[in-house]
Amino acid sequence: MDKIKMEKMTAFSILGGVLLLVLAIGLCKRQSQVVWNFLIRVVFGAIAVFLTNDFLAAQGISLAVGLNPVSLLTLGTLGFGGFAALYGMLFLQFL
C-alpha cells in the first residue's frame, strides 16, 4: 500500500513539475513577444519621425520632433498614438 501511495506522490510531483515548466515557457514566450513588439514599434516609429521631419522640412515647415530616449519610449509604448501625440504637442507649441 505504501508503494502505491509513493508512486502516486511521485506521479503528482512529476506532473506538477511539468505543469510549472510549461507555464514558465509560456510566460517567457509572452514576455519576449512584448519586448519584440516594443522594439519594432520603436524602430518603425523612429523611421516615421525621421521621414516626417524630412517631409516637413522640404515643405518649409520648421517643426521637428527630436529623437531622444523619452520620445522613443513614447513611440515604443503607444505606437501610432505616441507618434500622433508627439506631433500634436509640437503643433500646439507652434500655435
Side-chain angles (χ1 to χ4, degrees):
M1 190 61 132
D2 286 333
K3 186 175 182 179
I4 294 174
K5 199 175 203 182
M6 185 60 102
E7 287 177 4
K8 281 185 178 181
M9 188 68 123
T10 304
F12 283 128
S13 297
I14 292 172
L15 187 60
V18 170
L19 178 64
L20 287 176
L21 181 63
V22 169
L23 288 174
I25 290 171
L27 183 62
C28 289
K29 185 177 179 184
R30 178 169 161 77
Q31 285 180 345
S32 70
Q33 285 178 336
V34 170
V35 170
W36 279 111
N37 191 6
F38 178 81
L39 291 175
I40 288 170
R41 285 182 184 178
V42 167
V43 169
F44 283 113
I47 291 169
V49 166
F50 180 76
L51 293 175
T52 304
N53 286 344
D54 280 350
F55 175 76
L56 292 175
Q59 300 300 317
I61 302 171
S62 61
L63 290 177
V65 171
L67 290 175
N68 55 51
V70 175
S71 64
L72 293 176
L73 182 64
T74 303
L75 290 168
T77 304
L78 300 176
F80 181 75
F83 177 81
L86 290 172
Y87 278 100
M89 288 186 290
L90 190 63
F91 179 72
L92 286 177
Q93 287 179 351
F94 182 72
L95 294 177

